[in-house]
Amino acid sequence: MIKIKNLSKLYQTKTQSVQAVDDVSLTIDKGEIFGVIGYSGAGKSTFVRLINRLEEPSDGSVVIHDKDITKMQHNELRNKRQKIGMIFQHFNLLWSRTVYDNIAFPLEIAGVPKAKRKEKVLELINLVGLSGKEENYPSQLSGGQKQRVGIARALANDPEVLLCDEATSALDPETTDDILDLLVSINKKLGLTIILITHEMHVIQQICHRVAVMENGKVVESGEVLDVFVKP
Ligand code: ADP
Ligand code: ADP
């Protein structure tokens, strides 16, 4: 379970300050697919980056499986980050490495021995449906295939949660459906908690259990997807 309490992020530059995330509190259940929707600039990306502490919060806490990541330092933070997978709109793959090596990369960093690494990479490649593409480079893959590599890489260290930052926004509708189906099957198979941010309502409607609506850094509404989007 993930407990986010009074989370805030104030960006301060010489000329202006922006309250990107403003006192957000949410609880996300283990095994849930939780959506965060909002217009551009609402604070979604900052919010999701606060969860793995790619951004330092100005205030508040993020407790993931009983540990507050905002209080962690050094090794503890590094180990916790390995348990938080993330996928991105533009995939963020290493372009000079093959599919195999992109997926092996987080395992190398975590110090997993070579034989174990190989076993895990081949299992992940199978899971995301990329068998036969091991030696391809990202430039030789379609957008959907690139995101499959991104997903496999994010799952390499058996994360407690998968963060998806506009993960289908660069994909065509059909490929978007394929990737959303894959996320659902991974959620079911592994019981993995998924937090997904998007500006597209249909993405939320297609796979999320609950949703929070963000505006100006605040959660203005949250609940079951059907209750939030379909008013009686
Ligand atoms: P979204 O993901 O919903 O589009 P963001 O989290 O990217 O929203 O941005 C929220 C607000 O914070 C915006 O006003 C944006 O301009 C501002 N912002 C984001 N990152 C920074 C930054 N590094 N420095 C200053 N302001 C930022
Ligand atoms: P190094 O960087 O030291 O070569 P890697 O972690 O890149 O080590 O992995 C190399 C090992 O992974 C080799 O032993 C090889 O057997 C295995 N390997 C690499 N690519 C593939 C692949 N496409 N299918 C199966 N095994 C692979």
Side-chain angles (χ1 to χ4, degrees), residues 9-88:
K9 175 67 181 180
L10 180 71
Y11 287 114
Q12 241 162 342
T13 61
K14 282 199 187 96
T15 50
Q16 59 171 355
S17 60
V18 178
Q19 191 72 53
V21 172
D22 190 359
D23 196 21
V24 168
S25 297
L26 285 174
T27 299
I28 295 158
D29 297 330
K30 192 170 180 320
E32 171 168 40
I33 305 183
F34 192 95
V36 177
I37 192 168
Y39 295 117
S40 176
K44 308 181 296 296
S45 186
T46 303
F47 172 71
V48 82
R49 290 162 60 84
L50 286 168
I51 295 176
N52 59 2
R53 243 178 94 183
L54 286 177
E55 298 285 353
E56 284 298 318
S58 313
D59 205 357
S61 59
V62 177
V63 175
I64 304 173
H65 290 205
D66 295 323
K67 292 273 190 179
D68 186 352
I69 192 168
T70 66
K71 302 274 190 296
M72 291 180 185
Q73 284 185 308
H74 313 299
N75 284 353
E76 197 189 7
L77 178 59
R78 199 167 60 230
N79 293 340
K80 189 68 170 180
R81 278 221 184 98
Q82 289 178 354
K83 292 289 175 191
I84 305 174
M86 189 163 184
I87 59 173
F88 306 87

Side-chain angles (χ1 to χ4, degrees), residues 157-193:
N157 287 313
D158 300 316
E160 294 166 344
V161 57
L162 176 66
L163 306 176
C164 310
D165 187 351
E166 298 281 3
T168 57
S169 299
L171 304 175
D172 63 56
E174 202 178 317
T175 310
T176 293
D177 286 348
D178 291 344
I179 293 297
L180 294 178
D181 287 347
L182 177 61
L183 290 176
V184 170
S185 87
I186 287 166
N187 165 258
K188 290 214 176 99
K189 205 176 285 179
L190 309 179
L192 180 65
T193 309

